Amino acid sequence: MLIVKKFRYLCGTKPDCKITIFFCRMQLNLPEHKFKIKETAHGLVIFDELRTRYVALTPEEWVRQNFVAYLITHKGFPAALMSNEVSMMLNGIKRRCDTLVCDNHGSTLLIAEYKAPSVAITQQVFDQIVRYNMVLRARYLIVTNGLQHYLCTINYEKNTYSFSNDIPAYSEIAIK
């Protein structure tokens, strides 16, 4: 459950100047990070640093923003090589990959699929990211609901794959 506490207080000397601060808490298995969140007529929105715009704050978006912040801040992933909500065509149907990370040569290195914390990570979730990877051909696939994180490493030369719960640093997986 996403818990949002809203605090309003007066700022400056003008009586009509008010600042609203939102404290969002949804317990995730990720380090805490500060985000820009504001209220609009359509509900709460969160600033997406990769898309450089505000997007609707849903439980899945909360996981995405926290996981992307984790990759950048704690695992050294360069934000300039990352994109959120990447469009692609899959069997003639337009789909969106949640997060795509490129290597220094512009090739797809990693893709991530996010689910809300209330959504179990099932075979269907892995099937979804594998279908996306038929188009994108990433070496690393991440699936997370913010509570559980799974990394699948694909070795295309040997036609093998392996799973891990440990997310490596960018420097460990990037092609130099």
Side-chain angles (χ1 to χ4, degrees):
M1 168 188 271
L2 181 61
I3 300 169
V4 179
K5 293 182 181 178
K6 181 170 142 179
F7 296 91
R8 289 183 191 245
Y9 61 91
L10 296 176
C11 60
T13 56
K14 299 179 182 176
D16 61 341
C17 178
K18 294 180 184 173
I19 293 178
T20 304
I21 297 177
F22 297 96
F23 292 96
C24 293
R25 291 285 290 155
M26 178 181 289
Q27 197 60 35
L28 300 177
N29 185 16
L30 292 165
E32 287 191 20
H33 188 80
K34 292 183 181 179
F35 297 99
K36 297 176 189 172
I37 298 170
K38 66 182 184 179
E39 187 175 28
T40 69
H42 302 288
L44 293 178
V45 292
I46 186 168
F47 190 76
D48 183 326
E49 298 289 341
L50 300 182
R51 290 181 271 185
T52 62
R53 64 181 173 92
Y54 281 92
V55 296
L57 180 54
T58 63
E60 183 178 318
E61 192 62 43
W62 184 244
V63 172
R64 178 193 340 267
Q65 295 305 320
N66 275 274
F67 201 83
V68 166
Y70 167 71
L71 290 177
I72 294 168
T73 306
H74 296 276
K75 296 296 182 174
F77 279 64
L81 298 178
M82 301 174 72
S83 299
N84 281 338
E85 294 289 322
V86 177
S87 293
M88 69 178 134
M89 292 298 285
L90 179 62
N91 297 326
I93 300 170
K94 189 174 181 179
R95 300 285 185 201
R96 289 187 187 202
C97 171
D98 286 343
T99 298
L100 180 142
V101 180
C102 292
D103 62 22
N104 293 328
H105 305 287
S107 298
T108 302
L109 177 65
L110 178 151
I111 58 174
E113 179 63 30
Y114 307 110
K115 298 297 179 191
S118 61
V119 176
I121 303 298
T122 64
Q123 185 63 49
Q124 289 177 312
V125 176
F126 283 104
D127 291 347
Q128 178 183 3
I129 198 168
V130 167
R131 281 191 302 273
Y132 293 171
N133 202 42
M134 289 177 184
V135 175
L136 299 170
R137 304 244 336 139
R139 288 187 295 142
Y140 301 95
L141 312 178
I142 292 177
V143 174
T144 182
N145 63 3
L147 303 172
Q148 298 173 300
H149 322 297
Y150 298 98
L151 172 76
C152 177
T153 303
I154 300 172
N155 184 324
Y156 290 102
E157 292 78 34
K158 295 180 180 179
N159 287 323
T160 62
Y161 60 91
S162 61
F163 286 94
S164 172
N165 295 87
D166 184 40
I167 308 299
Y170 183 81
S171 61
E172 295 173 34
I173 64 173
I175 298 172
K176 308 269 189 274

